[in-house]
Amino acid sequence: MRFVEEYRDAKLGKRLVERIHRRSRKPARLMEFCGGHTATIVRHGIRQLLPPNIEMLSGPGCPVCVTAVADLDKAIAMARLPGVIVTTFGDMLKVPGSYSSLQQVKAEGGDVRIVYSTQDALDIARSNSAKSVVFIGIGFETTAPTIAASILEAEQEKIDNYYVLSLHKLCPPVVKALLDSGEVMLDGIVCPGHVSAVIGSQPYEFIPQDYSIACVVSGFEPLDVLLCIDMLVAQIEGGKSLVEIAYRRSVTHEGNRQALKIMERVFEPCDANWRGIGTIAESGLKLRDGYASFDAERAFDIELEPPREPKGCICGDILRGVKTPPDCKLFRHACRPEHPVGPCMVSPEGSCSIYCHYGAAGGR
Ligand code: SF4
């Protein structure tokens, strides 16, 4: 297949759905760990197409949503510093911190700029040499290599006013933390597509080995997700647990070695704080000592008030898969896309925003 429409072919989709219905007998609880998959599942009504014994849950796969409020407060505090330009991807702007948001600081005169890539942030640093330019580095293993590359570029060009606030998160440690918590019992995992394009499928092998849970890496089109579910059902019905790939056009067993090399050169694993989950050992990335001069955490001395979660918001429970957006009393009332109370309503990969845009019926 070469064109996106082919991955949305209704006839092929119908055949896959029929095969899932024929195969699936046992109760199966599956979790997707990527907000992109949540969007595909809800947008295309995939839950409603599945037999009632298959339950789909959403996990902590939205990078904006899993950013702890204390880390967000740090970014907001940096935007208030004189002589600092904060650059960020757009979906961070409206996320409420404890006391403010980047959007509010911008409205109050702070220099906060939306960028579409780290190249934009580097360009801003090049043309504002008298100012410090901080890039808010959020995301999983997908975005970390390009951010690492921007630091290498800044080093090569001797750009000394470019900093990264590294709030990156790693996917396999959060999967392990969630499974160890025992809060949600799973039979299968829809492994993330973009993350796996970088890290490969190999890092998930501990899941079948240690937890006997089926794993299949999925792409983002409806046929990708249906094929992934079909492969998971085949494993579950056959009493097997393996790591398989249903997204071979982008994902290999060993991942993208070049991207991993760049990421590992600049970053090293560190403990990280996840919204709704807490601190998970070695689940984040910090800049190695050799790149300390680009580290916003070390460059700016920030004092923060104790963090405060938005009142009434259950994003943490939603990110752990124990609740869904309609369980939140504020959903579609006090919290709406134009007036978000929590991060899950801001990001296009956030469950609340997805349910709001494509209909809560998607959350059977
Ligand atoms: Fe938080 Fe709003 Fe979602 Fe409720 S609906 S969990 S307040 S983001």
Side-chain angles (χ1 to χ4, degrees):
M1 289 199 265
R2 288 181 302 144
F3 302 109
V4 73
E5 292 76 21
E6 296 171 291
Y7 294 93
R8 297 177 182 176
D9 184 290
K11 277 190 194 143
L12 284 177
K14 192 163 175 267
R15 275 165 52 190
L16 276 168
V17 169
E18 284 167 358
R19 197 161 75 185
I20 293 168
H21 276 259
R22 270 200 312 276
R23 271 183 169 161
S24 182
R25 294 284 169 268
K26 299 177 185 170
R29 187 179 261 188
L30 314 180
M31 178 179 268
E32 82 273 359
F33 270 83
C34 175
H37 288 148
T38 309
T40 303
I41 289 165
V42 177
R43 183 177 178 191
H44 294 279
I46 286 177
R47 281 194 177 100
Q48 289 86 340
L49 296 173
L50 298 176
N53 55 306
I54 298 182
E55 188 183 357
M56 300 290 304
L57 304 176
S58 304
C62 158
V64 169
C65 310
V66 298
T67 301
V69 73
D71 287 334
L72 193 58
D73 290 346
K74 222 179 281 172
I76 293 166
M78 283 182 190
R80 290 191 193 281
L81 293 174
V84 170
I85 302 172
V86 163
T87 57
T88 177
F89 295 136
D91 44 3
M92 281 293 278
L93 213 67
K94 281 169 84 177
V95 183
S98 298
Y99 307 95
S100 186
S101 66
L102 286 171
Q103 181 167 266
Q104 201 173 324
V105 175
K106 185 175 168 67
E108 290 162 5
D111 200 343
V112 180
R113 304 188 194 182
I114 293 176
V115 291
Y116 295 97
S117 72
T118 47
Q119 284 306 314
D120 295 344
L122 274 177
D123 283 344
I124 292 170
R126 286 185 190 102
S127 50
N128 291 272
S129 55
K131 296 202 168 178
S132 301
V133 176
V134 177
F135 179 78
I136 311 295
I138 64 149
F140 291 94
E141 293 92 332
T142 327
T143 47
T146 57
I147 294 167
S150 77
I151 291 170
L152 295 177
E153 195 172 335
E155 181 189 44
Q156 200 180 14
E157 281 186 41
K158 299 193 178 8
I159 299 174
D160 60 3
N161 63 329
Y162 177 68
Y163 304 90
V164 169
L165 175 63
S166 179
L167 305 177
H168 294 100
K169 302 282 188 289
L170 299 175
C171 185
V174 74
V175 176
K176 183 173 176 359
L178 222 64
L179 297 177
D180 285 342
S181 76
E183 244 186 336
V184 281
M185 306 307 287
L186 302 177
D187 302 290
I189 293 178
V190 177
C191 296
H194 294 143
V195 165
S196 307
V198 174
I199 67 172
S201 63
Q202 188 275 333
Y204 307 115
E205 277 171 1
F206 73 94
I207 304 173
Q209 277 163 20
D210 299 347
Y211 302 89
S212 302
I213 293 174
C215 288
V216 178
V217 180
S218 176
F220 294 91
E221 294 302 324
L223 289 190
D224 291 320
V225 175
L226 285 172
L227 177 64
C228 170
I229 294 170
D230 182 48
M231 289 166 74
L232 284 169
V233 166
Q235 285 194 42
I236 293 163
E237 294 297 327
K240 290 184 193 157
S241 48
L242 309 163
V243 178
E244 294 182 300
I245 302 170
Y247 192 29
R248 291 216 170 263
R249 64 188 183 278
S250 297
V251 176
T252 60
H253 179 254
E254 67 279 1
N256 182 330
R257 286 177 194 275
Q258 184 63 18
L260 287 170
K261 208 166 121 190
I262 291 172
M263 187 171 97
E264 284 159 14
R265 182 166 157 198
V266 173
F267 294 113
E268 61 183 324
C270 64
D271 297 352
N273 191 5
W274 295 64
R275 187 185 293 260
I277 301 174
T279 301
I280 305 174
E282 308 266 290
S283 68
L285 290 174
K286 65 175 183 181
L287 275 79
R288 291 187 184 276
D289 286 346
Y291 298 94
S293 60
F294 298 99
D295 189 348
E297 292 249 26
R298 299 188 227 196
F300 303 100
D301 205 12
I302 301 278
E303 283 204 13
L304 295 173
E305 298 284 315
R308 264 190 341 203
E309 293 293 337
K311 207 169 164 204
C313 173
I314 60 163
C315 275
D317 294 338
I318 291 170
L319 292 167
R320 297 197 310 281
V322 295
K323 293 210 170 142
T324 62
D327 295 327
C328 178
K329 289 196 178 91
L330 308 185
F331 179 67
R332 282 192 165 148
H333 298 291
C335 183
R336 303 176 305 279
E338 64 279 14
H339 178 74
V341 174
C344 299
M345 189 58 91
V346 178
S347 168
E349 293 191 41
S351 288
C352 301
S353 158
I354 293 167
Y355 276 55
C356 229
H357 281 104
Y358 300 119
R364 186 185 76 195

